[in-house]
Structures are given as C-alpha cells and as structure tokens.
Amino acid sequence: MTDSAFDWMAAANKKAKGKRPEYFDDPEDERMLSILMAVAGEVSVLRERMDTVERLLETKGTISRDDIESYVPDKNAAYERGVMIREYIYRVMRGPHQMVEELKEAEPSLEELSKELREI
Amino acid sequence: MNDDQKLDVAPPYNAVARHGVSPNPSHDEIARFDFLANFNKFMASALGTGNQLAYDNRVLPKFKKEHGREPKDRFEIRRAMNEDPFHLFWSALKRNSMEMRQQNGRAIVLRQIDELNAKARQFNEGRDTLELNPEIEVPRYQSAVDIHCMPGSYHGEELPGDVSAGANYDCGIFATTGGGLGALTDGGGMALVEWIKKERPGWAPRRVLDIGCTVGHNIVPLALAFPDCEVVAIDTAAPILRYAHARAQSLGATNIQFIQASAEDLSRWDDGTFDWVQTTMFLHETSGKALPSILKEGYRVLADDGLMLHLEQPEYHDGMPLFEQFLRDWDAFNNNEPFWSSMHALDMKDEMISAGFDRDELFETGVRAVVDREIFPENATGEGEDHGRAAFWHAYGAWKNASAIQEAAE
C-alpha cells in the first residue's frame, strides 16, 4: 500500500513544465474543454465497463468484480468494442466533425436563401 | 465479416504485453487508453482532414490577399493557421488528448508506485549492468520544458529513487500511437533487427551503443537478436534507466549495460569501441549544439566498418510541401518539443559529414515498425497520418570508412 503521505491522485494531475499554448480568446474556455474532454473519456470508460458486464453475464450468469477486472476480450469482442468506442466518439464529436464539412463548401446563410426564395 | 470491410479501430489495450515491471492496469484504466487510442485515430483522420481544408479554402486565400504572395515557410503557415477557428479547436482537442494520456498513465503508475519500485529493485539490486551516476547533470535541453508534456520529464521522481517516469512513458505509448508500435512498444527495435539481417546477413555486432535509450524499448530487440553482443545503453535520466534496466532484465536481455551518461561526453570509451552506434527518436530531444557534438562523439567511438544509425521522423527537405512541414511541426509548439522544428530542418547528411563521415558512406532508408499485424494495425502514412507519431521512420545511416576498408582489401 502506498504511503498515506503520498497523494497519488494529486501527483497524477501534475502540470507539465512549459507554458501552455492558448487556443481560445477566453482562458475559461481552455478549462471548460479540458473538463468536457475528461468527462467524454470517462463516459467511454463507463460504456466499456457496461459492455464487459454484459458480455460476462451473457456467458456466466453471475459475475464478481474480479471477473470484470480480469476480463480480456477475444479478437471479435475487441473489434466490436473498438467499433463501439468509435461510434461514441463520432457522436460526441459531431460538432467539430461537421466543421470539416462546412470547410468543404461555403454555404449561403438562411437569411440569404430566404431572400432568394422570396424572389423565385 | 470480411477483414477488408472492417472499420479502422485501435487494438484493445489488453493486447499490450506485460513484462516484469509493467504497471498492472485496472479495467477502467485500460478503458481510458482504449478511448484515447481511438480518439487519436479520429483526430488524425476524420477531423484531421479539416486542417488541409481550412488551409486551402480559408487560410491560404486570406494570406495571399494580405501579403500578395504564398507563405515562405512553415512558420508563416503556423501563424496564419493559428488564427483559424478550425485549426485552433483541433489543436485544443489534441493538446487535451496529450494531457489526458499523461494524467491517465501517471494515475495507473502512481497508485501502485511502491509495488513497481519493489519489482524494479528485484531486477536492479546488486546488478553491475545498471550504473547510475548522480554527477551527471540534466542538460538544459532536457530540463527547459517537460518534453512531450510528460510531467517531470524523464528525470523526474515522485518518490526518491522511483521508476514512475519510465513506467508512465512505457504504458502510455499505446494511447498516442494507437498500438502502432506493437505489444511491447518495440516495433522500432524489431524493425532494426529485421533491417540489419537483410542488410548484412550473418553480421553480428560485437559492441553496440544506444544513445538516449529511455526505457530501452528500441534496444532490447537488438540485444535479444544478438545475444553475444555487449550492448551499452545510455541516458542522462536515472529514473528512466532504473525502469529500463529492470524491464530489459525481465525480458531476458541481460547483455545490456544501462549507464547514466551524457552522449556529449563519451570519454570513458576509447576510439573505435563500438561497431554500432545509434539513436532512435532521440536527436529531436537535444539541441543545436548538442546534436553535432553527440554525432562527433558517436563517430569517434565507432570502429571502422561500424554502423551509425539514427531513426527520426523525416526531415523537412525542399521537396516537402510547406503545409506538411507545418503539420509535422505541431508537436514542437503544442506538445513541448522545443528542438523538434529546428532538428527536422537540419540536413542530417551534412551533420553526419561534419561529424566525420564521407558523403559516399551515407545512406538513408525507411523503417516501418515490425509488429504482430494480426493485432496491431499498420499506422496510416500520408493521408490520415498522425504526423510525428506514425510508426514509420526515416533512418540516417553510415558505415564508417567502409569503402576505404574494402579498397584496402582489394
């Protein structure tokens, strides 16, 4: 057991030396995105844990925490779980992903279209 | 399902092999790396394509309008792209992914640091194959920032004498490379073994020097492939060497001597001591003055007909589009790699010549990670490449005085 004087949770959060680049005008946005990304990661973790529980229950009926901790997916299950994570990432990242489409073609605003449709 | 129809997903972290000092990850810690590995794939492919689009459709036209010309270098592109909302958001996400990888790795390692230290001690105590020297100073190029946002860098300790830096480095490479380096993160070292066996069949080096070895993941395969070879692996950071030594011993690579030493001063070794001197993904973590002095020292301790080999990401040659150079530079300015940009702009051939080689002794070749393709997919290169992390390297090499020796023999 780790010495109680050593707070590994605090230590895990240590900042890397070196000034952090600023990506947004408002520094609060940097913090908000870091929280959002961490939560996005944790939801993925919960989903994977749920998947483990479901797979174990399907084959064993009853399970223990040890079963969850020691679960190793076979090749097929590993792929299915990879697809599950990928699907989750695409859903969560819809906003930024749609920016890519916006970049492909500049679209007229709805206001402009509204004017256009009035005339045709 | 037909294999060809499969979606590109990262292999599961469960496929990462364990060795004698591997941290033991919990179910959820594995799941965190599974998320990051797949997230990084998404960032490099589906979202990454937006960078080129933003440049072509928005940033470049605006730049040309304002300046009446094309950008003249990667720095101008970077400054212009850093005004673009898409690129900024992409960078912010990617920076977070890098920070999360560090936090996640450190959490795994630090909650079991006592057990890891105890495991390492079992392999390290009383062995003359680990030589630490507290006199060795951490060079400025290793201490100016924490390289690749790794808190504490290679030399940091959370508890006196610990191995946390090495264990964290080792356990998280999977997340940033999407498993591209294989089960033991040794795809680079495995590739060297495969390359040399083709290049010089039957040749067995007597003594190899690996400079900037970090956790030894690129030297262990070589040591195992040439069991009679005396391998010396050096690094300036003690914590990483403690881990590297224990890791190598547990994998049966007992012919490596890990020594805390600076590559800029190899004076303890005589001229011509080694017949293979190498660095793998190390030179970009040095500096403008350190790099040439490391090459010069490396040349001095290299024997005639010996091999010098450096594995890096490709240099920014004139034929490489400036936009690609800018993309490859991302880590320099966003992931604490302050020498990355300058290093990749060097002509490594000129550097090798300055170190002592003749131009006709030099060669270049591509080296792709050798891993179990059943489990670990090949990293994308070109379209969808995660620049700076692709498991495909450029090797700069030379055989010292090889032609002179051949001529003398004839």
Side-chain angles (χ1 to χ4, degrees):
Chain A
M1 198 59 206
T2 302
D3 188 339
S4 59
F6 177 61
D7 183 348
W8 66 264
M9 296 178 203
N13 267 3
K14 191 164 161 185
K15 177 192 169 293
K17 181 182 175 187
K19 188 170 159 45
R20 192 182 192 276
E22 290 161 3
Y23 301 101
F24 303 106
D25 293 336
D26 184 349
E28 299 307 315
D29 289 345
E30 311 281 355
R31 304 290 91 75
M32 292 303 283
L33 185 66
S34 73
I35 297 172
L36 263 179
M37 278 305 298
V39 172
E42 293 307 299
V43 172
S44 182
V45 169
L46 286 172
R47 287 166 55 90
E48 188 165 326
R49 192 173 183 93
M50 189 71 88
D51 181 79
T52 300
V53 171
E54 287 169 1
R55 284 173 193 274
L56 285 168
L57 281 175
E58 229 163 50
T59 52
K60 291 185 69 175
T62 63
I63 54 169
S64 67
R65 285 200 176 109
D66 279 351
D67 291 333
I68 297 172
E69 290 305 323
S70 58
Y71 174 73
V72 178
D74 63 22
K75 198 178 170 187
N76 192 46
Y79 174 70
E80 287 174 4
R81 285 151 69 97
V83 172
M84 177 183 80
I85 297 169
R86 187 180 190 273
E87 188 261 2
Y88 166 76
I89 288 169
Y90 272 73
R91 193 183 310 284
V92 171
M93 288 292 147
R94 176 189 55 80
H97 197 200
Q98 287 181 348
M99 286 170 83
V100 177
E101 272 189 83
E102 286 168 12
L103 285 165
K104 285 182 186 156
E105 196 176 2
E107 294 174 296
S109 72
L110 265 293
E111 200 171 333
E112 288 169 88
L113 285 177
S114 169
K115 279 182 197 156
E116 183 199 329
L117 295 194
R118 206 165 51 208
E119 305 301 325
I120 60 170
Chain B
M1 187 185 284
N2 185 327
D3 268 4
D4 297 336
Q5 295 169 339
K6 283 199 166 186
L7 294 164
D8 179 23
V9 299
Y13 190 76
N14 301 85
V16 171
R18 306 286 148 78
H19 49 70
V21 278
S22 293
N24 191 18
S26 70
H27 178 281
D28 292 0
E29 287 165 344
I30 288 169
R32 272 181 202 108
F33 279 155
D34 285 340
F35 169 75
L36 284 179
N38 283 288
F39 182 71
N40 288 329
K41 272 190 182 292
F42 171 77
M43 288 294 293
S45 55
L47 208 59
T49 55
N51 286 318
Q52 180 84 54
L53 288 167
Y55 182 65
D56 292 344
N57 299 345
R58 254 186 346 217
V59 176
L60 183 59
K62 185 165 169 254
F63 185 95
K64 287 207 277 201
K65 203 172 159 194
E66 280 172 13
H67 296 82
R69 61 171 174 82
E70 302 261 336
K72 65 176 189 297
D73 56 30
R74 63 191 184 282
F75 303 114
E76 283 195 346
I77 294 181
R78 177 167 54 85
R79 283 181 208 112
M81 285 293 279
N82 279 345
E83 303 284 314
D84 185 81
F86 177 84
H87 180 65
L88 281 172
F89 201 83
W90 181 85
S91 290
L93 287 172
K94 190 148 172 108
R95 170 77 184 206
N96 269 287
S97 152
M98 295 296 167
E99 290 170 343
M100 287 164 73
R101 169 263 172 269
Q102 293 301 333
Q103 199 279 346
N104 296 175
R106 284 170 63 82
I108 298 174
V109 166
L110 295 178
R111 76 167 167 79
Q112 55 190 302
I113 190 60
D114 289 347
E115 290 89 332
L116 287 175
N117 286 338
K119 281 190 212 171
R121 270 197 301 277
Q122 281 187 343
F123 291 107
N124 290 349
E125 257 171 14
R127 308 281 173 100
D128 57 8
T129 39
L130 175 62
E131 187 186 317
L132 300 181
N133 182 0
E135 305 288 301
I136 297 295
E137 281 180 31
V138 177
R140 168 76 181 151
Y141 51 83
Q142 292 281 315
S143 68
V145 295
D146 285 344
I147 290 177
H148 38 67
C149 290
M150 185 167 69
S153 197
Y154 300 107
H155 50 272
E157 292 179 349
E158 290 301 333
L159 298 168
D162 80 5
V163 295
S164 60
N168 172 43
Y169 179 85
D170 195 18
C171 79
I173 296 177
F174 169 89
T176 34
T177 60
L181 296 186
L184 280 167
T185 307
D186 62 356
M190 300 288 278
L192 290 179
V193 171
E194 191 180 271
W195 174 80
I196 193 64
K197 297 218 158 172
K198 267 189 207 145
E199 187 70 18
R200 277 216 174 172
W203 184 63
R206 294 159 305 143
R207 276 189 293 276
V208 172
L209 176 65
D210 186 43
I211 295 171
C213 64
T214 66
V215 296
H217 50 311
N218 291 310
I219 194 61
V220 164
L222 214 60
L224 292 173
F226 299 107
D228 297 327
C229 176
E230 294 170 36
V231 181
V232 173
I234 65 169
D235 203 288
T236 53
I240 213 115
L241 287 169
R242 287 185 205 109
Y243 182 82
H245 178 264
R247 182 185 180 281
Q249 291 278 321
S250 81
L251 290 168
T254 52
N255 53 330
I256 310 177
Q257 195 176 15
F258 288 91
I259 299 177
Q260 188 175 7
S262 166
E264 292 178 78
D265 176 13
L266 303 175
S267 55
R268 62 185 284 166
W269 290 287
D270 293 335
D271 296 1
T273 299
F274 300 95
D275 37 15
W276 184 332
V277 173
Q278 69 165 20
T279 67
T280 54
M281 284 70 81
F282 166 68
L283 292 175
H284 68 266
E285 294 181 2
T286 64
S287 72
K289 285 184 179 156
L291 185 143
S293 73
I294 290 167
L295 293 188
K296 208 163 274 179
E297 272 292 82
Y299 182 84
R300 184 185 63 75
V301 298
L302 185 63
D304 280 344
D305 206 26
L307 169 69
M308 182 178 275
L309 197 68
H310 303 287
L311 246 56
E312 286 290 337
Q313 293 289 320
E315 68 190 20
Y316 304 155
H317 56 81
D318 291 341
M320 184 187 279
L322 290 180
F323 182 77
E324 182 180 339
Q325 296 183 21
F326 147 76
L327 275 184
R328 290 184 176 280
D329 246 8
W330 187 87
D331 285 81
F333 302 99
N334 294 279
N335 198 27
N336 280 5
E337 294 273 14
F339 187 51
W340 178 283
S341 183
S342 314
M343 188 266 152
H344 287 99
L346 290 175
D347 185 330
M348 274 297 288
K349 289 184 284 302
D350 289 346
E351 296 298 321
M352 301 269 280
I353 290 163
S354 298
F357 290 102
D358 284 337
R359 190 168 287 275
D360 61 7
E361 290 167 355
L362 306 181
F363 66 87
E364 289 178 80
T365 185
V367 178
R368 193 174 281 281
V370 173
V371 301
D372 180 356
R373 290 277 175 241
E374 279 288 295
I375 304 168
F376 299 96
E378 196 166 309
N379 274 184
T381 45
E383 179 96 352
E385 175 172 345
D386 190 359
H387 291 296
R389 266 161 294 282
F392 181 70
W393 305 279
H394 203 81
Y396 302 93
W399 293 92
K400 183 176 177 178
N401 296 333
S403 46
I405 288 165
Q406 204 174 355
E407 275 165 30
E410 278 163 7

